Amino acid sequence: MRDNRWNLKKRMLVGFLAVLGGVFVIITVLFLHTRNTLKEEYRAMLKARVEGIGNDIDALIRDVYNVSDNFAFNDQLESYIDKVYKPEDWAIKKADTLKLYKQIFSVYDMLQERQKLGAIYTYKGILFNFIDVNNDGQEVIDKLEEMGVNKKEHLMRFYWYPLQDNFFASDAYGDIRKDKIVMGVRNVYSVWKGFYVCTHIFSLREEELYNLYKDDIPSVKGDIFVLMGEGELLSSSDTEALGKEQIDPELRSMIRSREADEFRWNNNQVCVRQSEVNNWLTVAVIPEKVMTQEIDTLYLRIFLALGACMALCCAMILYLYRSLIGPVNELSTAMTEVYGGNLNAYVKVTARNEIGDMMRYYNDMLKSINVHVVEKLEADRNKKELELEVLMSQINPHFLYNTLENIVWKSNEAGRPDIGRLAASLGRMYRLSISGGKVIVPMQHEIEHLMAYIKIQKDRHGENFEFDLRIDAAKARQLYSLKILLQPVVENSFLYAAEGLERKLIIRLCMRELGEEIEIRVIDNGVGMGRERLAQVRDQIRNGRKHQQEDEKNRRSTGIGLNSVAARLTLYFGIQNPIRIYSKKGMGTITVIRMPRLTGDMVGEDGELKKP
């Protein structure tokens, strides 16, 4: 019955989605047709805009050419062109520059609407700078010479230089469009003298070119560039390009090698217009998504509206079935969670029918499983604790401690206090290991237990062994630790680091707090391990030893290895992989232990964690 209901539901949903899908297809086809039409209209508009901008720029250039022609054969200029000024004549030269500008150029253009000469550079090496009369020194002349303004190939024709800083003005405006210029030069030939007497220099601020097309930028919705024939930048609506004084190298290459005046570049539509006056190019770069942005936005809104309708209808269909198959779905979901490991996936029983009975039976079964799992976990923990007790009771600590006290007394009586010190340290170790049967002890006790072990090794190996303890004593007095935690880790480093070591063995123990955890690092400069041996040790820490026989090193150890420490940390605190070990052959080994940050208010008088 359940399968039939779900099949009906699926058929209804699929049929409804198929109808809406057909509507989507029809709308999409209509929109794509409209989109292509709008795109073609936009391209036609863009071409017209670029053509208009190009015509305005051509008019500007023609004006520059006309002004240059009008002053190519001016009698008033002749007397100034032949002049030579000494350094001390700077005031006279300044006055002549102002006189030239006022008597000739200002009179020529009373309305101040024509382009003006920026400077005149004479064949005698004299510069009349009409832009800034105070900036006509040798530095500006050297710049002009470096640019080759009077090259032979420039004779009797205009030569334009790409966008550059305005070196004719001594002060900057602080505006990139006012401080960048496009410079044009023309060498003027004198019929009466029979040689080229001066160079006309026109300095067009980039702002003048920008003003010709800035009103078109909102309608174009893209970037506009004015370029020389080889792609050198003259003007741009993109200030970033102005700062670099060049356009994107890939775009420049495509413009130079273009076969048509319209092409695509990186999802952009590019439109190019060649000047009728010179070789300048007017280029518009428009993102294709901008060209159809309005129709795309409308399509998106309709798509969202249809999607909302679809969601609403699907919700209504689901609501109609909810009263019939909702409880079954809830039960199925809960069983899936149980399969994934969640044993607390109980269901809420609301129905008073056969389905409600199924849900109650399911909850009762899950409760039984949970009780069984908890009992098994408790049994496993008790088993681990018993194994630990057996391990720690292999030697009777009380008997051993009393025997060691007798050894201390006998050694002092025999005049061998060194033997007494060793026995006293060993006795101290085992007295601390008893700890009244507590599992969790103060960190200070753990450090004392470790230092007793270190004293024994120090007395045995002398100057060949050094231990460096770096623990904040004040913090250590506030913390608690699992019993017999530090000594097995240091012992492991000592046993595996010393064999075959020709230098002094140094073992360092550091401890630091990381939020709610404590990290303990044991570092040695011993022989280290290769990759294969390191992999074996890591496997032993996780899984214990796979063979019962022990090598000589293990027979010399206490028998409480890293696997036991890791197992206890996991058992008591639930930390997975609490011990990590890193080593490099010939350099040493680092052992890192993680454990919770335990304080006195978290540990009971019985040495166990308080229950929350």
Side-chain angles (χ1 to χ4, degrees), residues 286-568:
I286 316 299
E288 290 187 340
K289 63 180 181 180
V290 172
M291 300 172 67
T292 57
Q293 186 173 13
E294 294 181 0
I295 192 69
D296 290 342
T297 302
L298 179 60
Y299 178 76
L300 178 61
R301 290 175 180 173
I302 294 177
F303 181 85
L304 293 176
L306 288 175
C309 292
M310 179 186 296
L312 180 61
C313 292
C314 290
M316 292 179 63
I317 293 174
L318 293 175
Y319 176 77
L320 293 175
Y321 275 90
R322 183 177 180 182
S323 58
L324 298 176
I325 63 173
V328 176
N329 282 339
E330 184 178 357
L331 183 60
S332 176
T333 302
M335 294 176 69
T336 302
E337 291 185 15
V338 172
Y339 182 77
N342 181 13
L343 297 181
N344 292 315
Y346 294 98
V347 296
K348 184 178 180 181
V349 182
T350 56
R352 296 185 177 181
N353 49 30
E354 291 81 358
I355 296 178
D357 293 338
M358 290 174 56
M359 299 174 77
R360 279 187 286 272
Y361 296 150
Y362 165 80
N363 286 338
D364 292 341
M365 180 182 65
L366 195 57
K367 288 179 183 178
S368 299
I369 294 174
N370 274 316
V371 170
H372 176 72
V373 170
V374 171
E375 290 177 351
K376 187 176 185 303
L377 289 175
E378 188 66 27
D380 290 343
R381 176 168 178 168
N382 292 335
K383 180 181 177 182
K384 292 289 185 180
E385 290 179 348
L386 289 174
E387 291 175 354
L388 180 61
E389 289 179 5
V390 171
L391 178 64
M392 297 180 65
S393 63
Q394 289 177 353
I395 300 176
N396 189 318
H398 293 285
F399 173 76
L400 180 61
Y401 179 70
N402 293 332
T403 303
L404 291 173
E405 287 292 332
N406 290 332
I407 293 174
V408 172
W409 180 75
K410 290 289 186 180
S411 62
N412 290 333
E413 187 179 64
R416 291 296 303 274
D418 54 335
I419 297 176
R421 286 193 297 271
L422 286 174
S425 297
L426 187 59
R428 178 69 173 165
M429 278 186 64
Y430 279 93
R431 184 174 67 84
L432 290 170
S433 70
I434 298 171
S435 302
K438 296 179 179 180
V439 176
I440 300 176
V441 298
M443 181 66 75
Q444 195 171 0
H445 287 189
E446 267 299 283
I447 296 174
E448 291 180 14
H449 180 262
L450 170 64
M451 295 310 295
Y453 169 78
I454 294 299
K455 187 173 182 181
I456 294 173
Q457 297 296 349
K458 185 68 176 176
D459 287 341
R460 177 183 177 187
H461 296 278
E463 298 300 324
N464 293 327
F465 170 59
E466 180 180 330
F467 182 75
D468 183 12
L469 180 65
R470 297 190 178 184
I471 293 180
D472 189 331
K475 289 184 178 180
R477 285 193 291 270
Q478 301 173 2
L479 301 176
Y480 279 70
S481 169
L482 199 63
K483 182 168 65 176
I484 314 181
L485 177 70
L486 302 180
Q487 182 270 331
V489 180
V490 174
E491 180 184 36
N492 184 81
S493 294
F494 184 85
L495 291 175
Y496 288 94
E499 184 179 8
L501 186 66
E502 297 180 356
R503 57 181 177 272
K504 182 178 183 179
L505 176 61
I506 301 175
I507 298 179
R508 177 179 298 155
L509 189 145
C510 311
M511 182 178 71
R512 62 173 180 168
E513 298 181 19
L514 299 175
E516 298 301 320
E517 286 191 346
I518 297 294
E519 182 184 88
I520 300 171
R521 288 178 176 259
V522 178
I523 308 168
D524 66 68
N525 68 334
V527 296
M529 291 177 278
R531 292 185 178 181
E532 184 176 351
R533 177 56 181 156
L534 181 61
Q536 294 176 356
V537 171
R538 287 173 174 171
D539 182 67
Q540 291 174 2
I541 293 174
R542 289 191 298 267
N543 305 315
R545 296 189 177 277
K546 298 180 180 179
H547 304 287
Q548 295 298 325
Q549 61 268 27
E550 296 179 338
D551 57 19
E552 184 180 353
K553 290 190 185 75
N554 295 325
R555 288 195 295 270
R556 294 201 306 266
S557 69
T558 61
I560 304 176
L562 296 184
N563 172 255
S564 175
V565 174
R568 288 189 292 139

Side-chain angles (χ1 to χ4, degrees), residues 111 121 163 192 243 280 308 322 327 486 508 559 565 583:
L111 298 179
Y121 183 49
L163 191 68
W192 295 276
W280 286 15
R322 183 177 180 182
L486 302 180
R508 177 179 298 155
V565 174
S583 184

Side-chain angles (χ1 to χ4, degrees), residues 175-181 205-208 210 213 217 235-239 242:
D175 183 344
I176 191 171
R177 297 194 181 279
K178 296 180 184 294
D179 293 332
K180 296 285 185 181
I181 63 169
R205 287 189 308 195
E206 192 276 338
E207 184 181 39
E208 296 181 62
Y210 175 70
Y213 60 82
I217 294 175
S235 176
S236 173
S237 61
D238 182 7
T239 54
L242 292 181

Side-chain angles (χ1 to χ4, degrees), residues 76 165 201 257 276 469 478 492:
Q76 292 178 288
D165 292 328
I201 301 174
S257 61
E276 298 176 356
L469 180 65
Q478 301 173 2
N492 184 81

Side-chain angles (χ1 to χ4, degrees), residues 259-273:
E259 297 180 356
D261 288 338
E262 292 186 61
F263 58 88
R264 293 181 72 254
W265 168 70
N266 288 349
N267 296 322
N268 294 288
Q269 186 70 29
V270 181
C271 182
V272 182
R273 187 261 188 190

